[in-house]
PDB file of all heavy atoms in Angstrom:
ATOM      1  N   THR B 445      48.826  19.382 130.884  1.00  0.00           N
ATOM      2  CA  THR B 445      48.897  18.682 129.595  1.00  0.00           C
ATOM      3  C   THR B 445      49.736  17.430 129.759  1.00  0.00           C
ATOM      4  O   THR B 445      50.533  17.310 130.698  1.00  0.00           O
ATOM      5  CB  THR B 445      49.514  19.601 128.526  1.00  0.00           C
ATOM      6  OG1 THR B 445      50.734  20.168 129.032  1.00  0.00           O
ATOM      7  CG2 THR B 445      48.562  20.723 128.141  1.00  0.00           C
ATOM      8  N   PRO B 446      49.602  16.454 128.851  1.00  0.00           N
ATOM      9  CA  PRO B 446      50.321  15.179 129.004  1.00  0.00           C
ATOM     10  C   PRO B 446      51.832  15.349 129.076  1.00  0.00           C
ATOM     11  O   PRO B 446      52.404  16.272 128.484  1.00  0.00           O
ATOM     12  CB  PRO B 446      49.913  14.402 127.751  1.00  0.00           C
ATOM     13  CG  PRO B 446      48.579  14.963 127.373  1.00  0.00           C
ATOM     14  CD  PRO B 446      48.665  16.424 127.704  1.00  0.00           C
ATOM     15  N   TRP B 447      52.458  14.447 129.803  1.00  0.00           N
ATOM     16  CA  TRP B 447      53.910  14.382 129.905  1.00  0.00           C
ATOM     17  C   TRP B 447      54.426  13.175 129.139  1.00  0.00           C
ATOM     18  O   TRP B 447      53.770  12.131 129.055  1.00  0.00           O
ATOM     19  CB  TRP B 447      54.350  14.208 131.362  1.00  0.00           C
ATOM     20  CG  TRP B 447      54.199  15.379 132.245  1.00  0.00           C
ATOM     21  CD1 TRP B 447      53.618  16.585 131.962  1.00  0.00           C
ATOM     22  CD2 TRP B 447      54.631  15.438 133.611  1.00  0.00           C
ATOM     23  NE1 TRP B 447      53.668  17.398 133.055  1.00  0.00           N
ATOM     24  CE2 TRP B 447      54.279  16.727 134.078  1.00  0.00           C
ATOM     25  CE3 TRP B 447      55.264  14.544 134.467  1.00  0.00           C
ATOM     26  CZ2 TRP B 447      54.555  17.124 135.389  1.00  0.00           C
ATOM     27  CZ3 TRP B 447      55.546  14.945 135.756  1.00  0.00           C
ATOM     28  CH2 TRP B 447      55.199  16.221 136.226  1.00  0.00           C
ATOM     29  N   ARG B 448      55.650  13.332 128.652  1.00  0.00           N
ATOM     30  CA  ARG B 448      56.392  12.187 128.118  1.00  0.00           C
ATOM     31  C   ARG B 448      57.801  12.225 128.690  1.00  0.00           C
ATOM     32  O   ARG B 448      58.411  13.293 128.771  1.00  0.00           O
ATOM     33  CB  ARG B 448      56.423  12.184 126.587  1.00  0.00           C
ATOM     34  CG  ARG B 448      55.068  11.855 125.966  1.00  0.00           C
ATOM     35  CD  ARG B 448      55.091  11.943 124.472  1.00  0.00           C
ATOM     36  NE  ARG B 448      53.788  11.587 123.911  1.00  0.00           N
ATOM     37  CZ  ARG B 448      53.469  11.717 122.626  1.00  0.00           C
ATOM     38  NH1 ARG B 448      54.386  12.182 121.771  1.00  0.00           N
ATOM     39  NH2 ARG B 448      52.278  11.369 122.193  1.00  0.00           N
ATOM     40  N   ALA B 449      58.294  11.054 129.075  1.00  0.00           N
ATOM     41  CA  ALA B 449      59.619  10.959 129.682  1.00  0.00           C
ATOM     42  C   ALA B 449      60.508  10.049 128.851  1.00  0.00           C
ATOM     43  O   ALA B 449      60.072   9.010 128.347  1.00  0.00           O
ATOM     44  CB  ALA B 449      59.525  10.438 131.116  1.00  0.00           C
ATOM     45  N   HIS B 450      61.763  10.466 128.740  1.00  0.00           N
ATOM     46  CA  HIS B 450      62.770   9.691 128.005  1.00  0.00           C
ATOM     47  C   HIS B 450      63.177   8.475 128.845  1.00  0.00           C
ATOM     48  O   HIS B 450      64.218   8.450 129.489  1.00  0.00           O
ATOM     49  CB  HIS B 450      63.969  10.591 127.701  1.00  0.00           C
ATOM     50  CG  HIS B 450      65.123   9.876 127.084  1.00  0.00           C
ATOM     51  ND1 HIS B 450      66.437  10.156 127.410  1.00  0.00           N
ATOM     52  CD2 HIS B 450      65.181   8.885 126.168  1.00  0.00           C
ATOM     53  CE1 HIS B 450      67.244   9.382 126.717  1.00  0.00           C
ATOM     54  NE2 HIS B 450      66.512   8.597 125.962  1.00  0.00           N
ATOM     55  N   PHE B 451      62.321   7.488 128.821  1.00  0.00           N
ATOM     56  CA  PHE B 451      62.578   6.214 129.494  1.00  0.00           C
ATOM     57  C   PHE B 451      62.184   5.136 128.496  1.00  0.00           C
ATOM     58  O   PHE B 451      61.020   4.984 128.173  1.00  0.00           O
ATOM     59  CB  PHE B 451      61.739   6.099 130.774  1.00  0.00           C
ATOM     60  CG  PHE B 451      62.194   5.017 131.715  1.00  0.00           C
ATOM     61  CD1 PHE B 451      62.619   5.330 132.996  1.00  0.00           C
ATOM     62  CD2 PHE B 451      62.189   3.678 131.329  1.00  0.00           C
ATOM     63  CE1 PHE B 451      63.046   4.341 133.879  1.00  0.00           C
ATOM     64  CE2 PHE B 451      62.603   2.691 132.190  1.00  0.00           C
ATOM     65  CZ  PHE B 451      63.036   3.018 133.470  1.00  0.00           C
ATOM     66  N   HIS B 452      63.172   4.397 127.992  1.00  0.00           N
ATOM     67  CA  HIS B 452      62.899   3.386 126.973  1.00  0.00           C
ATOM     68  C   HIS B 452      62.186   2.197 127.627  1.00  0.00           C
ATOM     69  O   HIS B 452      62.820   1.374 128.282  1.00  0.00           O
ATOM     70  CB  HIS B 452      64.197   2.928 126.313  1.00  0.00           C
ATOM     71  CG  HIS B 452      64.830   3.956 125.430  1.00  0.00           C
ATOM     72  ND1 HIS B 452      65.303   3.659 124.164  1.00  0.00           N
ATOM     73  CD2 HIS B 452      65.068   5.280 125.608  1.00  0.00           C
ATOM     74  CE1 HIS B 452      65.814   4.752 123.620  1.00  0.00           C
ATOM     75  NE2 HIS B 452      65.679   5.757 124.487  1.00  0.00           N
ATOM     76  N   VAL B 453      60.874   2.128 127.446  1.00  0.00           N
ATOM     77  CA  VAL B 453      60.099   1.044 128.053  1.00  0.00           C
ATOM     78  C   VAL B 453      59.998  -0.108 127.059  1.00  0.00           C
ATOM     79  O   VAL B 453      60.009   0.101 125.838  1.00  0.00           O
ATOM     80  CB  VAL B 453      58.701   1.521 128.481  1.00  0.00           C
ATOM     81  CG1 VAL B 453      58.816   2.563 129.586  1.00  0.00           C
ATOM     82  CG2 VAL B 453      57.914   2.082 127.317  1.00  0.00           C
ATOM     83  N   PRO B 454      59.923  -1.361 127.534  1.00  0.00           N
ATOM     84  CA  PRO B 454      59.846  -2.503 126.618  1.00  0.00           C
ATOM     85  C   PRO B 454      58.696  -2.365 125.627  1.00  0.00           C
ATOM     86  O   PRO B 454      57.576  -2.002 126.008  1.00  0.00           O
ATOM     87  CB  PRO B 454      59.641  -3.692 127.565  1.00  0.00           C
ATOM     88  CG  PRO B 454      60.280  -3.261 128.848  1.00  0.00           C
ATOM     89  CD  PRO B 454      60.002  -1.782 128.947  1.00  0.00           C
ATOM     90  N   LEU B 455      58.984  -2.647 124.378  1.00  0.00           N
ATOM     91  CA  LEU B 455      57.992  -2.431 123.326  1.00  0.00           C
ATOM     92  C   LEU B 455      56.741  -3.264 123.530  1.00  0.00           C
ATOM     93  O   LEU B 455      55.621  -2.798 123.287  1.00  0.00           O
ATOM     94  CB  LEU B 455      58.604  -2.755 121.956  1.00  0.00           C
ATOM     95  CG  LEU B 455      59.865  -1.997 121.552  1.00  0.00           C
ATOM     96  CD1 LEU B 455      60.241  -2.351 120.123  1.00  0.00           C
ATOM     97  CD2 LEU B 455      59.677  -0.492 121.707  1.00  0.00           C
ATOM     98  N   HIS B 456      56.926  -4.498 123.960  1.00  0.00           N
ATOM     99  CA  HIS B 456      55.801  -5.437 124.050  1.00  0.00           C
ATOM    100  C   HIS B 456      55.076  -5.358 125.381  1.00  0.00           C
ATOM    101  O   HIS B 456      54.036  -5.999 125.551  1.00  0.00           O
ATOM    102  CB  HIS B 456      56.311  -6.872 123.875  1.00  0.00           C
ATOM    103  CG  HIS B 456      57.148  -7.333 125.031  1.00  0.00           C
ATOM    104  ND1 HIS B 456      58.366  -6.768 125.313  1.00  0.00           N
ATOM    105  CD2 HIS B 456      56.926  -8.260 126.000  1.00  0.00           C
ATOM    106  CE1 HIS B 456      58.874  -7.349 126.388  1.00  0.00           C
ATOM    107  NE2 HIS B 456      58.026  -8.243 126.824  1.00  0.00           N
ATOM    108  N   ALA B 457      55.606  -4.599 126.338  1.00  0.00           N
ATOM    109  CA  ALA B 457      55.058  -4.600 127.699  1.00  0.00           C
ATOM    110  C   ALA B 457      54.947  -3.167 128.201  1.00  0.00           C
ATOM    111  O   ALA B 457      55.766  -2.714 129.008  1.00  0.00           O
ATOM    112  CB  ALA B 457      55.942  -5.432 128.631  1.00  0.00           C
ATOM    113  N   PRO B 458      53.947  -2.431 127.742  1.00  0.00           N
ATOM    114  CA  PRO B 458      53.788  -1.050 128.205  1.00  0.00           C
ATOM    115  C   PRO B 458      53.503  -1.009 129.694  1.00  0.00           C
ATOM    116  O   PRO B 458      53.029  -1.997 130.271  1.00  0.00           O
ATOM    117  CB  PRO B 458      52.598  -0.540 127.394  1.00  0.00           C
ATOM    118  CG  PRO B 458      51.840  -1.763 127.008  1.00  0.00           C
ATOM    119  CD  PRO B 458      52.874  -2.828 126.814  1.00  0.00           C
ATOM    120  N   PRO B 459      53.796   0.102 130.339  1.00  0.00           N
ATOM    121  CA  PRO B 459      53.506   0.202 131.768  1.00  0.00           C
ATOM    122  C   PRO B 459      52.013   0.090 132.035  1.00  0.00           C
ATOM    123  O   PRO B 459      51.184   0.409 131.167  1.00  0.00           O
ATOM    124  CB  PRO B 459      54.041   1.590 132.142  1.00  0.00           C
ATOM    125  CG  PRO B 459      54.066   2.343 130.857  1.00  0.00           C
ATOM    126  CD  PRO B 459      54.350   1.348 129.790  1.00  0.00           C
ATOM    127  N   ALA B 460      51.689  -0.342 133.215  1.00  0.00           N
ATOM    128  CA  ALA B 460      50.285  -0.504 133.580  1.00  0.00           C
ATOM    129  C   ALA B 460      49.617   0.858 133.723  1.00  0.00           C
ATOM    130  O   ALA B 460      50.273   1.854 134.045  1.00  0.00           O
ATOM    131  CB  ALA B 460      50.183  -1.286 134.889  1.00  0.00           C
ATOM    132  N   PRO B 461      48.302   0.937 133.472  1.00  0.00           N
ATOM    133  CA  PRO B 461      47.586   2.189 133.733  1.00  0.00           C
ATOM    134  C   PRO B 461      47.823   2.628 135.170  1.00  0.00           C
ATOM    135  O   PRO B 461      48.005   1.781 136.048  1.00  0.00           O
ATOM    136  CB  PRO B 461      46.117   1.796 133.489  1.00  0.00           C
ATOM    137  CG  PRO B 461      46.190   0.612 132.566  1.00  0.00           C
ATOM    138  CD  PRO B 461      47.431  -0.121 132.973  1.00  0.00           C
ATOM    139  N   PRO B 462      47.889   3.920 135.399  1.00  0.00           N
ATOM    140  CA  PRO B 462      47.451   5.026 134.535  1.00  0.00           C
ATOM    141  C   PRO B 462      48.509   5.526 133.547  1.00  0.00           C
ATOM    142  O   PRO B 462      48.312   6.556 132.915  1.00  0.00           O
ATOM    143  CB  PRO B 462      47.123   6.116 135.562  1.00  0.00           C
ATOM    144  CG  PRO B 462      48.119   5.892 136.659  1.00  0.00           C
ATOM    145  CD  PRO B 462      48.241   4.402 136.770  1.00  0.00           C
ATOM    146  N   LEU B 463      49.644   4.836 133.413  1.00  0.00           N
ATOM    147  CA  LEU B 463      50.666   5.223 132.448  1.00  0.00           C
ATOM    148  C   LEU B 463      50.473   4.452 131.148  1.00  0.00           C
ATOM    149  O   LEU B 463      49.720   3.486 131.081  1.00  0.00           O
ATOM    150  CB  LEU B 463      52.058   4.969 133.024  1.00  0.00           C
ATOM    151  CG  LEU B 463      52.392   5.672 134.337  1.00  0.00           C
ATOM    152  CD1 LEU B 463      53.813   5.332 134.789  1.00  0.00           C
ATOM    153  CD2 LEU B 463      52.211   7.178 134.215  1.00  0.00           C
ATOM    154  N   ALA B 464      51.191   4.880 130.124  1.00  0.00           N
ATOM    155  CA  ALA B 464      51.163   4.203 128.829  1.00  0.00           C
ATOM    156  C   ALA B 464      52.525   4.401 128.176  1.00  0.00           C
ATOM    157  O   ALA B 464      53.403   5.072 128.725  1.00  0.00           O
ATOM    158  CB  ALA B 464      50.054   4.771 127.953  1.00  0.00           C
ATOM    159  N   SER B 465      52.706   3.796 127.008  1.00  0.00           N
ATOM    160  CA  SER B 465      53.925   4.018 126.234  1.00  0.00           C
ATOM    161  C   SER B 465      53.565   4.732 124.940  1.00  0.00           C
ATOM    162  O   SER B 465      52.386   4.856 124.581  1.00  0.00           O
ATOM    163  CB  SER B 465      54.634   2.698 125.928  1.00  0.00           C
ATOM    164  OG  SER B 465      54.058   2.064 124.793  1.00  0.00           O
ATOM    165  N   THR B 466      54.590   5.191 124.233  1.00  0.00           N
ATOM    166  CA  THR B 466      54.379   5.880 122.957  1.00  0.00           C
ATOM    167  C   THR B 466      54.537   4.917 121.782  1.00  0.00           C
ATOM    168  O   THR B 466      54.969   5.318 120.702  1.00  0.00           O
ATOM    169  CB  THR B 466      55.351   7.064 122.805  1.00  0.00           C
ATOM    170  OG1 THR B 466      56.700   6.571 122.871  1.00  0.00           O
ATOM    171  CG2 THR B 466      55.127   8.099 123.894  1.00  0.00           C
ATOM    172  N   LEU B 467      54.160   3.670 121.981  1.00  0.00           N
ATOM    173  CA  LEU B 467      54.230   2.701 120.882  1.00  0.00           C
ATOM    174  C   LEU B 467      53.482   3.180 119.635  1.00  0.00           C
ATOM    175  O   LEU B 467      53.933   2.913 118.515  1.00  0.00           O
ATOM    176  CB  LEU B 467      53.701   1.349 121.349  1.00  0.00           C
ATOM    177  CG  LEU B 467      53.802   0.196 120.348  1.00  0.00           C
ATOM    178  CD1 LEU B 467      55.253  -0.096 119.997  1.00  0.00           C
ATOM    179  CD2 LEU B 467      53.123  -1.060 120.895  1.00  0.00           C
ATOM    180  N   PRO B 468      52.332   3.878 119.758  1.00  0.00           N
ATOM    181  CA  PRO B 468      51.687   4.380 118.536  1.00  0.00           C
ATOM    182  C   PRO B 468      52.591   5.286 117.692  1.00  0.00           C
ATOM    183  O   PRO B 468      52.504   5.268 116.462  1.00  0.00           O
ATOM    184  CB  PRO B 468      50.476   5.155 119.083  1.00  0.00           C
ATOM    185  CG  PRO B 468      50.146   4.470 120.372  1.00  0.00           C
ATOM    186  CD  PRO B 468      51.490   4.111 120.950  1.00  0.00           C
ATOM    187  N   VAL B 469      53.467   6.065 118.334  1.00  0.00           N
ATOM    188  CA  VAL B 469      54.396   6.899 117.579  1.00  0.00           C
ATOM    189  C   VAL B 469      55.382   6.018 116.815  1.00  0.00           C
ATOM    190  O   VAL B 469      55.706   6.283 115.654  1.00  0.00           O
ATOM    191  CB  VAL B 469      55.146   7.868 118.511  1.00  0.00           C
ATOM    192  CG1 VAL B 469      56.190   8.679 117.741  1.00  0.00           C
ATOM    193  CG2 VAL B 469      54.160   8.793 119.214  1.00  0.00           C
ATOM    194  N   LEU B 470      55.854   4.956 117.462  1.00  0.00           N
ATOM    195  CA  LEU B 470      56.742   4.006 116.781  1.00  0.00           C
ATOM    196  C   LEU B 470      56.037   3.414 115.560  1.00  0.00           C
ATOM    197  O   LEU B 470      56.621   3.330 114.463  1.00  0.00           O
ATOM    198  CB  LEU B 470      57.165   2.904 117.748  1.00  0.00           C
ATOM    199  CG  LEU B 470      58.198   1.871 117.271  1.00  0.00           C
ATOM    200  CD1 LEU B 470      58.867   1.217 118.469  1.00  0.00           C
ATOM    201  CD2 LEU B 470      57.575   0.782 116.397  1.00  0.00           C
TER     202      LEU B 470
END
Side-chain angles (χ1 to χ4, degrees):
T445 50
W447 288 6
R448 289 176 178 172
H450 174 219
F451 196 119
H452 290 226
V453 295
L455 303 185
H456 69 294
L463 302 180
S465 83
T466 59
L467 184 62
V469 176
L470 185 159

